């Protein structure tokens, strides 16, 4: 079971949320409180957008994150207004950089916690459904990289919510065809550098945990000594697989089967409804889970 | 451009042919005389059969071979009657252990020097042709791993010569369909632990070099100080992408478009004729390139 | 806090004791029951003696052991009558192969669990005491490598028990000179390929755990399915930082401040008494902790 | 033989000078024209100063630089007004990150091409001379890290030119005491983030090559397509072990036995004169090799 974190807001050094000894993502990688496995030592990745635009940067490693000096250096020297960080606990596929999250395509990043169940049985059918033009981009052997490319195939760049619902519907369809019970378990995040879209869903409706920081106070309280955190504006948000720190009430559990958008202005939260490709068109109105 | 070596004969420590300062595979990795690139630093692999049978062992690394202390230790302490060693110069795909040769399936090993031309364009069609039962075994992103699984799909375990010819015919067919000139360049070796099958072929009939040691003297002369080499019987053979050492006349260039079998008793050498799958059945008699 | 294991007896594949899913050293590296840290992911090493003699082989890696495919391959294909395995949890120094145990000098191997307290303060004085002829051999930055070279300086190859006692006495003397309370914490093992010498000692007399298998039944019971284990003779012994498996009464806790020798014939167990170099000569009679 | 590069001037992305296919440091690492070895694949390091001050950042790897995707990402996303890059060809010591250049101490960076001859014989005496307060900082086993700490011991932070001359004088003294002919070969660069000090010296007065860009045109001509290079002001300078690119007259060979300072305003170039510690005080006037 992996751990991940997405940040959106004023530029801060990446280290502020991933590296400090207490209440950081790396701290969680050694002592996860909510995870199925307590150790997440099968590789690490960070993806970040620069303030000046362009493709996001990536740093990936197959070292455990807690040993990686380069990670420490980079995340201290790189500030970013929108970044992803992911610590991997392999569900079986090889520990190699091409299997580390986040994955990138053009301006888009994608990361995933969970798994496609009985992946060796369904992998071929999933790969075949990927747009042949996207196919050469696949370098690893993980289920997550395939989920990303399926979402791209289903139009992630144009309509990310519908694309994610189509991707999940398709994975469930293929799983069922192969007799897999509960084909998919996931929390995912994706971004184009302007917004973060995050979803929580599993075929069995018992999805792994996901939290939004409701309040910038949650982030400020993590490290009173980090100047950049104290100066954060109210727009700043973190989305995490497990809460960072101990501020009561500062973290909202994302509801089961939902999808949210963090962006300038009001965030949005909708019901997540898998769609079978070729099935009914997406509804005109999404079901909002939060009064606007 | 990669370098490779296959050995068959009395058990010798693997280091005897790959690690010594002069005339070894690693020496070639730094100073290749016949290769297109002079440096082969994109990973390394060794596969070996034990005398007691069972699956062959594998050691792979993405370090340059000349820096790898573990390789030095292992190849000094492991003796084997049949082993493969391969130094990779990537033709573009990621440098990761799952892309390092040799590849293994059950008792079989496979390694390759060369490339599938315009691989990103044909990769998907090649992957689709792999037996779905073999598909979960694919872990990397290299063309060579796909060639191996296509050969397995075409019956490598039962009739290796025909399977390799079918694999090549299929790759050429797919390449032509995509408008690729000269779709395949290869020297390959494969083994089940009892015999080594090696082929030299390219669509343009200008294949990379391949040599058989004609004579055990070639191996004995490499390192007069290695006792195990001096005691080799006349059956011992090495097949190499580039001759080791300087003994004139000790190495035979494998002819263009041919396939050889090194095994107990008389070795065999035949013409290599790509076959289109679904085309004419294999000829009853292969064209031997060497009087029996 | 590290985990280690030493085996002496009939040749068995190394994997038998380190790799199986349950009751193995690697299992402990993820879920240690007695260790201070539950995760030991800062590198790994194996050292083994061949039946045919010569320098022991070494395999070291900075990957977590549970992810290392090469380790799996090697430990399946290498059988040995005497081997060491060590999983590192760094006490602060860099995670690099030259800091991984076991360390080797000629025929000797050495590994350590514990630490020299306030090592940065005493390191220079300890290094200075190493025989200049041994000095060039030091490649890493760990306290353990220095302990080994001090023991060699004090005559490990000739009289290992006295050398270890002198080494410890010297480290305590230097620590005290620098005002360090409880300068040393250790369980160590060393071997020349004929015998294993293991000691348990700490300046505060609360040393980390160490166990001997009292009985070959302990090893046989670990994996009823491993043929090589079932055929073990009564001489076979394992010494471990934490018991493997659940056979009640099969493991003897090594007493505080003691040193044992596992060798052909009767094993020996003595009181461990640090000696100040330049102090009184070693006693003519060692205090045996076990009736002969 | 290593390759290195130091840049001073307007902030540019690090990739501009190290990663482009032609005329870059990595290009040199594969096809050095002036180096003794043509391949430099034994690790890599980059050190850079931020515009906002603070300790410089470091990225080090034991992968060959040409395979390192993280290096590509980082050097594309990090811009710096003063950075060092170094590609290592080991002169014998282990390939590990702690042996990769540049080395860092507080605000200072240091990198070296060359070697201390017969280092195993003199290493202990050199280590002993390092200020005990600096000693804990030593993590690797390379001669270069020791040279840096000797220079720090001799006052690098206060008077870098004299400290480097004292360091060299001391290394030559120790070498002579051990009967080493020509104890030192070096080109070195060091910086505190404000200036770059670079020296070329060898005991035999046949030092490895070193070049200053005389003219910002040299840098602009490397990559007409890189906007940041075209906008460089006249202050920008590169110091390199081998010229980048082909602009005739754009690179000045640094004279044998000299030391230069690149800094805001007029650069300086002096004769380099090793001084024996304890010998005569440094001259009041340095011998300038360039009319002011």
């Amino acid at each position: 079971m992996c751990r991940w974190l997405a940040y959106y807001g004023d530029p801060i050094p990446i280290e502020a949320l991933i590296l400090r000894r207490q209440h950081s993502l790396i701290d969680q990688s050694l002592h996860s409180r909510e995870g199925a496995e307590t150790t997440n030592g099968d590789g690490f990745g960070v993806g970040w957008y620069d303030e000046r635009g362009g493709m996001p940067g990536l740093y990936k490693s197959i070292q455990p994150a807690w040993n990686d000096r380069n990670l420490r250096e980079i995340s201290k020297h790189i500030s970013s207004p929108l970044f992803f960080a992911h610590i991997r606990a392999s569900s079986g596929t090889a520990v190699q950089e091409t299997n580390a999250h986040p994955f990138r395509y053009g301006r888009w990043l994608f990361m995933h916690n969970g798994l496609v169940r009985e992946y060796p049985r369904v992998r071929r059918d999933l790969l075949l459904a990927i747009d042949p033009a996207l196919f050469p981009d696949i370098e690893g052997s993980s289920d997550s990289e395939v989920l990303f490319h399926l979402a791209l195939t289903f139009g992630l760049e144009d309509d990310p919510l519908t694309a994610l619902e189509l991707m999940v519907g398709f994975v469930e369809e293929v799983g069922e065809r192969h007799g897999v019970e509960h084909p998919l378990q996931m929390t995912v995040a994706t971004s184009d550098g302007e917004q973060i879209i995050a979803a929580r869903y599993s075929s069995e409706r018992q999805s792994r945990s996901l939290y939004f920081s409701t309040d910038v106070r949650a982030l400020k309280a993590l490290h009173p000594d980090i100047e950049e955190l104290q100066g954060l504006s109210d727009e700043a948000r973190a989305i995490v697989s497990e809460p960072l720190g101990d501020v009561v009430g500062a973290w909202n559990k994302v509801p089961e089967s939902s999808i949210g958008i963090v962006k300038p202005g009001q965030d949005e939260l909708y019901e997540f409804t898998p769609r079978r490709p070729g099935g009914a068109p997406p509804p005109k109105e999404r079901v909002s889970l939060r009064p606007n």
Side-chain angles (χ1 to χ4, degrees), chain A:
Chain A
M1 183 164 163
C2 312
R3 302 277 101 203
W4 62 253
L5 171 156
Y7 170 81
Y8 168 86
D10 309 276
I12 57 172
I14 293 172
E15 67 159 357
L17 299 185
I18 69 171
L19 278 181
R20 299 293 172 131
R21 188 163 279 278
Q22 297 289 323
H23 315 318
S24 74
L25 191 68
I26 287 189
D27 181 51
Q28 285 183 11
S29 78
L30 280 163
H31 311 288
S32 171
R33 285 172 287 187
E34 302 205 6
E37 293 90 27
T38 52
T39 305
N40 297 268
D42 301 340
F44 188 88
V46 179
W48 69 93
Y49 294 88
D50 288 341
E51 288 181 82
R52 64 170 187 265
M55 266 171 67
L58 284 180
Y59 175 71
K60 297 186 171 188
S61 167
I62 55 173
Q63 283 288 307
W66 60 84
N67 279 340
D68 193 318
R69 293 185 177 195
N70 289 323
L71 174 63
R72 222 165 287 180
E73 295 285 326
I74 291 160
S75 59
K76 189 190 190 88
H77 285 272
I78 292 179
S79 285
S80 164
L82 198 169
F83 59 86
F84 282 15
H86 186 280
I87 298 178
R88 188 165 177 243
S90 169
S91 56
T93 52
V95 176
Q96 55 191 18
E97 288 180 18
T98 54
N99 283 348
H101 308 222
F103 301 97
R104 178 176 66 191
Y105 181 80
R107 284 276 293 166
W108 287 79
L109 291 177
F110 180 95
M111 63 184 169
H112 168 229
N113 173 22
L115 75 165
V116 175
R117 291 211 173 76
E118 305 194 36
Y119 183 57
R121 277 167 62 192
V122 299
R123 181 185 181 203
R124 187 172 177 274
D125 283 0
L126 298 181
L127 275 173
L128 295 200
I130 291 170
D131 182 342
L134 296 168
F135 201 84
D137 194 49
I138 295 181
E139 292 194 303
S141 57
S142 74
D143 50 357
S144 306
E145 187 186 25
V146 167
L147 296 183
F148 179 32
H149 285 82
L150 285 171
L152 286 164
T153 299
F154 290 125
L156 184 73
E157 293 163 292
D158 295 323
D159 179 354
L161 274 61
T162 301
L164 289 171
E165 290 177 339
L166 284 165
M167 177 270 278
V168 167
F170 177 71
V171 172
E172 292 191 323
E173 185 180 274
V174 169
E176 284 163 23
R177 204 190 309 147
H178 285 269
V180 179
E181 197 185 15
H182 305 324
L184 184 64
Q185 168 68 258
M186 74 173 202
T187 64
V188 291
T190 189
S191 178
D192 59 357
E194 310 297 326
Q195 56 186 337
I196 298 172
I197 296 129
R200 182 179 180 224
Y201 177 79
S202 60
S203 305
E204 66 271 38
R205 304 297 192 277
Q206 293 189 323
S207 306
R208 298 189 173 177
S209 62
L210 190 63
Y211 295 83
F212 283 65
S213 64
T214 45
D215 201 311
V216 75
R217 283 178 307 143
L219 301 176
K220 294 186 182 182
L222 285 177
H223 304 290
D225 56 315
I226 303 184
E227 206 180 312
E228 288 92 340
L229 288 183
Q230 302 318 309
L232 287 183
S233 70
D234 287 349
E235 286 274 22
R237 290 280 177 280
I239 313 165
V240 293
S241 45
E242 211 174 288
L244 304 171
D246 299 318
V247 178
V248 180
W251 296 91
N252 253 11
K253 195 163 193 166
V254 175
E256 180 63 49
S257 304
S258 59
I259 185 163
I261 309 174
V262 172
K263 57 183 175 52
Q266 182 69 46
D267 298 342
E268 297 168 16
L269 187 65
Y270 300 106
E271 208 175 284
F272 186 89
T273 315
R275 297 173 205 282
R276 297 292 157 109
K284 284 216 171 57
E285 296 289 330
R286 293 189 167 273
V287 180
S288 176
L289 297 176
R290 182 189 272 174
N292 282 309

